[in-house]
Amino acid sequence: PWPEAWSNWISHFGKDSSHGFGTLSDTANTVERQINTWRLPGVDRQENFRFFKNNVLFVGINMVNDMIGDESTRLSQNYDWVESSLARYKHTVRALVVFGHAGMNRHRSANFGKPFKSLLSTSYPSLPTLYLHGNGHTFEIDAIQTNLLDIQVEGRARAPPLVVSVLRHHATGDYSFHVDQQGGKYDDNSDGC
């Protein structure tokens, strides 16, 4: 149910959280939030965040499954947050990881999924991108387009947490993603992407 999911998200990643980002290994790393930014004036989505580390942009968005009344506005603001985050780091970003609770399809497609995929294919066609989410409660990996990998994690403590690594190839400088399932109860036997 969305009230519990929302409570957990704010508890762990909200601006007043005492844990969550407090556990980042580099305390100098800044976590920014979508709070009335110059690029998005008047938008206060403190639950949306971003941080940039080693040329990798990490963006978290309020992407719930249930219709909670502000769906089209919230999804459009999620898209705006991802787009403005990419624009801010466009000269140095080499990989993108987006976190959300639910996938980007179905009723979330028109205001987030389609514009996000279009943004990646037209403005960032060679940027390796990972969209990481739960909600379906079964493990799935889907290469949605050339530079967009969608991973749905196993839910409800049925499997150990995934370890997702963003890797940089030293010779070429290319970035890629590696998924370690840690021997979990996953449906897919893939060990990497």
Side-chain angles (χ1 to χ4, degrees):
W2 79 265
E4 181 182 354
W6 177 250
S7 176
N8 287 336
W9 184 267
I10 291 301
S11 172
H12 288 84
F13 300 112
K15 68 178 180 175
D16 298 323
S17 170
S18 61
H19 49 290
F21 294 116
T23 62
L24 288 174
S25 59
D26 182 358
T27 56
N29 207 25
T30 303
V31 176
E32 299 170 284
R33 300 194 176 276
Q34 187 179 4
I35 302 175
N36 199 24
T37 64
W38 66 271
R39 192 165 165 95
L40 302 168
V43 175
D44 186 5
R45 289 258 170 230
Q46 61 94 17
E47 70 271 19
N48 289 353
F49 62 86
R50 71 177 171 221
F51 59 94
F52 189 73
K53 176 107 175 127
N54 298 331
N55 294 38
V56 180
L57 177 59
F58 298 87
V59 180
I61 55 175
N62 179 4
M63 185 73 83
V64 295
N65 187 41
D66 295 332
M67 303 290 276
I68 57 174
D70 68 343
E71 198 75 6
S72 64
T73 300
R74 181 175 41 79
L75 293 175
S76 295
Q77 290 172 343
N78 286 346
Y79 170 77
D80 292 344
W81 180 240
V82 173
E83 181 186 39
S84 70
S85 297
L86 281 166
R88 177 175 178 153
Y89 295 102
K90 69 180 174 186
H91 297 295
T92 53
V93 66
R94 299 295 176 258
L96 170 65
V97 178
V98 179
F99 305 96
H101 173 70
M104 66 180 95
N105 296 322
R106 297 181 47 194
H107 62 272
R108 295 167 299 279
S109 182
N111 292 307
F112 183 81
K114 285 181 182 176
F116 178 59
K117 292 178 217 177
S118 177
L119 174 70
L120 291 176
S121 62
T122 58
S123 300
Y124 302 92
S126 60
L127 182 68
T129 302
L130 172 63
Y131 183 77
L132 188 62
H133 64 95
N135 194 59
H137 306 292
T138 58
F139 181 74
E140 295 177 8
I141 295 179
D142 186 16
I144 294 178
Q145 55 195 49
T146 314
N147 64 333
L148 177 56
L149 187 65
D150 180 285
I151 296 181
Q152 178 177 276
V153 300
E154 184 79 31
R156 305 208 172 154
R158 290 190 295 239
L162 292 177
V163 177
V164 178
S165 302
V166 182
L167 305 173
R168 181 181 174 272
H169 189 275
H170 292 291
T172 65
D174 293 338
Y175 284 74
S176 62
F177 303 105
H178 175 76
V179 178
D180 179 357
Q181 299 170 344
Q182 301 193 81
K185 301 174 185 175
Y186 300 102
D187 297 333
D188 185 323
N189 292 323
S190 171
D191 64 351
C193 305

